[in-house]
Amino acid sequence: MNFELISVSANSRARAGVLTTGHGTIETAVFMPVGTAGTVKGVHTRDLKDDVKAQIILGNTYHLYLRPGMDVIEKAGGLHKFNGWDKPILTDSGGYQVFSLGDIRKLSELAAKFQSHIDGSYHQFTPEGVIDIQRTIGADIMMAFDECTPGDADYNYAKKSMELTHRWLDRCFEQFNKTEPKYGYQQSIFPIVQGSTYPDLRRLAVAQVKTFDADGYAIGGLSVGEKEDVMYEITEVVTADLPVHKPRYLMGVGTPENILESIDRGIDMFDCVMPSRNGRNGMLFTRDGKINIRNKKWENDHSPIDENGTSFVDSYSKAYLRHLVISNEMLGAQIATQHNLAFYLWLVKTARQKIIEGVFSSWKNEMINRLKHRL
RNA sequence: GGGAAGUUUCCAGAGUGGCUAAAUGGGGCAGACUGUAAAUCUGUUGGCGACGCCUUCGGUGGUUCGAAUCCAUCACUUCCCA
């Protein structure tokens, strides 16, 4: 994997780059649609590629491991073959599930033990096992197995949690180094910086993570309940110390505003369920602000969903989409998801362009003002 | 022609003397959603000069301190027998 910085903003840390993987190149800053179960819910790979213009999508270790299971994925020849997506894939390690499935798991030094949310069966993830699973999935970018520390963790818990993540990181790399890709292309592993909302812990974490010469570095444990200005502050602390010549991935972020602010602070890669989940739930993101398409005011608005939109679905009318969403028609969720993803991809692509043109900051400020609106 | 059951707030449907502006579901309206246990979840849904008041349970008239709940009568609906 190779990362080349094309341009860096003069008056901020914003960067434009090109990341090269075994499944092609990725122009950063990039937004990666989330496809937990091997599918970006409701969107065909064709539309994802040609219409949304996604460059890379996510899959999830925990979900794919439980269903369909590694046997099926391996027999398919990896996730790319299984779901028909021939561009890069990044898999999350299951660290977030350790966090979000909190009630049905137990952490120990050795492993995270958990109960399947599907059938209650008992399983455990070790750092080694998680690497093996991601080898089988065939992710271009695999994530280290971490504990995603909750946003309200006290200092002591955050420190212990971070240290566990670091010990797990050692094991992840050890396993990574003694195993081989299964499908003939290179795989990379990104460590994850934890340390919660404490700058000194975050600095320690960066230092620790940097001891591995990884292809890229992720920031985890943000947008998990802490205040937004704290998230920005921590992002700044972390990007200040990360290697300049490697991509930085801010996990799970965020709103369009969050993404622009984070690009400004030196982030290259993003993923978030927000455009897809909120889309399914009737919320649209546009460059002029947010729309709750279920609201009565759109009942007879026969204008396009988004006059400035880049997706073909944007020519459907608001009134029609409202009808679909309210009637619980599956096409409503599909259109809204596709629109939102296309918007997110447009947003980061435009940010990249503005960085290259050297006008990112002014554009960002203007954009954030528009995005705040509620239509 | 005879008999039976029923008529409740937008709909369906509980409630059979005071704790009932009235369960629950649907629908409506609004909100939430950040490495997806989410096509999910939450709030609200008679009116108002709102910690109180007013009007509601087919119509009318009664009984009672008090009625959606009991009685009489009228209207309508459904079912059964001719």
Side-chain angles (χ1 to χ4, degrees), chain A residues 44-54 85 87 310:
Chain A
H44 289 283
T45 52
R46 183 197 63 185
D47 289 340
L48 219 41
K49 222 190 307 186
D50 301 340
D51 188 67
V52 168
K53 306 239 189 311
W85 175 258
K87 287 170 171 266
T310 58

Side-chain angles (χ1 to χ4, degrees), chain A residues 77-142:
Chain A
L79 184 57
H80 292 85
K81 291 272 164 51
F82 188 53
N83 70 6
W85 175 258
D86 58 8
K87 287 170 171 266
I89 292 176
L90 179 152
T91 42
D92 186 27
S93 61
Y96 186 76
Q97 280 63 45
V98 169
F99 159 78
S100 68
L101 302 175
D103 293 343
I104 49 177
R105 55 80 170 163
K106 228 174 203 165
L107 286 188
S108 71
E109 184 63 35
L110 179 74
K113 293 186 177 176
F114 56 87
Q115 259 183 290
S116 161
H117 69 279
I118 299 166
D119 62 4
S121 54
Y122 291 87
H123 304 265
Q124 67 167 26
F125 273 178
T126 60
E128 295 82 7
V130 163
I131 296 301
D132 291 343
I133 293 169
Q134 293 182 94
R135 286 288 193 202
T136 299
I137 291 171
D140 298 275
I141 301 171
M142 336 195 310

